[in-house]
Amino acid sequence: MDASQVAECMRLTRRHFLELGLIAGAGATLASCTQDRLIRVFPPGSFSNERELIPARGLESWAPSVCTLCPAGCGIQIRRIGETPVGIRGTPEHPVNRGALCPRGLVGIQILTHPDRLRGPVRRVGERNENRWEPVNWDEALQIVSRRLQDLHAGGEFRRLALLMGATTPLTHMAFRLFANAFGTPNLFTLEGSMGQGPQDAFAVMHGTPSWQYDLAHADFVLGFGMDWLQTSPSPVEASRAYGYLRRGRAGQRVRIVQAESRLSVTGIKADTWIPVKPGTEGALALGIAHVLISEERYNKTFITQHTFGFEDWSDASGRHIGFKSLVLDAYNPAVVSEITGAPVETITQLAREFAAHTPAIAITDRGRLSDQMAVHSLNALVGNLGAPGGVVEKRLPPLSMPQPPEKEVNGVPFTLTGGETFPFMPHAAHHLPEVMLGETPYTLDTLMMYRANPVFTSPDSARWTRALEQTPFIITVSSFLDESALFADLILPEHAPLEGWQDAPVSTLDGVPVYGIGQPAITPLYDTRHAGDLLLELTRAIGQPMTEALPWQTFSDMLRDSVRGIYASGVGETIRPKDDEFWDDDEEETDPFESFWTDLSTSGGWTDRSRQGQPPPLRFRTKSGKFEFFLPQRVRQQPDTDMEILPHYAPPLFTGDETEFPLHLYVYTPLAFIDGEGAHLPFLQGIAGPHLKEQWETWVEINPETGERLGVHDRDPVWIESSIGRIKAIARWFTGAMPDVVNLPFGAGHTAQGRWAQGIGANPGAIVARTLDPITGHPLWQYTRVKLYRAEGGII
Amino acid sequence: MARWGMVIDLDKCTGCQACVVACQVENNLPIQGSEEFKQGRIIQWIHILPIIEEEYPHPRVRLLPMPCQHCDNPPCTKVCPVRATYKNDEGLVVQIYPRCIGCRYCVNACPYTCKFFNWKSPRWPEEMAVAINPDVSTRTKGVTEKCSFCSHRLQKARDKARAEDRDLEEVDYIPACVEVCPAEAMYFGDLDNPDGAVARFTRNARAFKLLEELGTEPKVTYLSEE
């Protein structure tokens, strides 16, 4: 019954009870009125919803799936009442999360039912960024895109199509790679985040591949440098579980945790000791520790000799080169490092000795400046924890048979768009894209397709992106929400919510168990949306050859099924959830054994091989020397000026902003609520943004009380934070975990689009952080902006 | 009868707030926003209480998850004029939402700030309204609410045990927050089972309770760090 019927009931019942027999057609109405009055205990109008809240009815069922909101790949079960999803819980048997979940995985259903989700394809009306759209059906939308791409292809202008992707599942990413390769464009860019990734670039340089991770739970001493690993990490649930285990998992063995950071983060709060260091100097601290380890001979000499190259001085065709040992002993004694970092000499020395005294000790850092990443990671080599439990271990991924793009010859055509500044290590540096697009060399783009990428929000100095997008002739966005970047699109193709489509998550647990999580669609799609993989296949068919040859699958689930043949062929492992019958039952006569395997796999949440739990993969480096390399290889650093520049060294931070005009440092961090800048559109995540200060639903700036006093800024004053490129407003909060003259801003709020709970809440630090890219990797560096801070007039913002 | 209690190990808790969100999703907590935050009216049945001591450069911060403490001597039940909240035979401090007259005496009386008043009608967008948890009643404007130790899950566990013709076991009943905790920092069970984890932890050297001096006899026990 709705409100008006109820009101009708009330009137009838109150005044006309005895006359009911005389009112035509009232009989049935009255019966239901009376029953309703008996059952309902709340007066009408108690609910401000248009209709009364009636929960779903039907049989309860649980659909196994995998969460793909971050790369961790936790196993989930979706609770359905009839056809309606009403809850999510963790899969108890899943090796990654073991029944637990992080706050983000829990709100998966709210993404599905979000009132501001895009419900069908739309086309721009009027000018860019006017936010006016008209619906268009899928056939027409795909025709628009395929015609444009066919024209480009026919004209030989393959390169003028660019694809910009955010975080997605590996198979979806591969589908886009195949598409780009078949079309003939090298311009596939992935917009990767900076916070919570770990030092992937140092791994790539020093090990030869980025596919390594921290086996946190089995360490005996954890030393963090600037990475808030309890909040932002590649696997949040595993990180929390590791913490609990480190502290209380083994009787009588409580592992010590130390955090060196320019702010008291959640990890710093939970650590035994917080070492405040001046912004941008964590690398120096690591090198000071290395100095003590080397000069006091506390490092693992066997490991260094057997498995590393570049520790001692060495010679090659171009002459004699100093090694890591010489450089450190020469340049980074604790007194020098204390001067740089602000940490006392005693602290540096004690820390180094403690680090060496535990086996395994592990040094953790995030994806900041490459030289800092390498400096910290060198400590792991020095104590020889690489490849050992509790140290830095290679990932062990499931043996998928992923399709690979074929080798292609492109004669005389530059393989990237990066014409201006070059990043030899990351030739596809997405973060440098706006400069190249604006520079219009070596050629201009015709069409840009963005998939789950929101660079206008997630990039520092986002004005560069808006300028670049404004001048791109045609933009297609594939996304579930109308975010800041989608506002620049000409055509928006909405994708399914994760629960509505196939999900794949091939991962390695931190201690080396390969897991392939898989999820079938748990419900019928609510709106006129498509799975991104299916969309791409439809587009492929619309374009025709040569695309259809490279992407021959009918649906994304067909592609998924092919990709698991490798697991089937391996003959090892088991389903994540126990099956009644033998998983590897080859006695099936009726069914094709692979089909039977596929059914088991896709209905049980996935596959895993627990047999090698706790045994990291054998130590193997894919560098040129076959060993851990202390330096940047030649191919990466084309013209080093000195040996020091190719070794892990401390490079003074590249701060922006005049020191006198902007006397404070800005430190940007990402709360767990907003990993990768995503999450502010979900209300329950907005509600957990700042627990240490009871902050939520706004942007606050943490300031040391003495600094605040000096500036005349008190707790809860509205303030402006201004840099050389702009200013934003926030609420000042006095925090004893803020260093003097360093102010801390959370990243993730401050949207101007993306729905009612994101839009207009808070302020985006990206607007005031200057564009500083690492000179080698092209990755944005967030911590190098100087600011000033002053009270804002007026009251609450 | 069981006497249900909870243990939270602060030396394992990472402050991730999975418990906060799990509770909100499980118990159909209202969707709020910046307005409610500014008014101090945010409803989170389990929430993190930050405790900040000392000063830079040696600040000492603790992040304390606070559910309803389900006191054995609850101040809130004593002040309720209409018995809309009372302690039942199993030690759970339960609520009868339709009885509540919105006087907020209990909100005032609770020393842990664990009772929350609905100043507004909880409202869900139409699209989200279908997906609420059917096991938990929604509340209305003018009604106080709080953590129930997910007592609806106890009812379900009882029904299941009855259907399977067996007794209810301790492990059958687990609140949403305890179930979801990634750090495995929370424990829940029958305090009157002397061999159970919960009872043993209350005798642990690190065990303490909040505001014990008030005589509320909370049934949530914390284990201190270190």
Side-chain angles (χ1 to χ4, degrees), chain B residues 1 7 16 43 47 73 101 105 116 118 121 134 147 164 226:
Chain B
M1 291 230 87
V7 173
C16 74
I43 301 178
H47 57 276
N73 188 19
I101 58 170
Y105 287 175
F116 303 90
N118 281 288
S121 285
C147 156
E164 290 170 6
E226 267 187 281

Side-chain angles (χ1 to χ4, degrees), chain A residues 52 100 569:
Chain A
E52 187 179 341

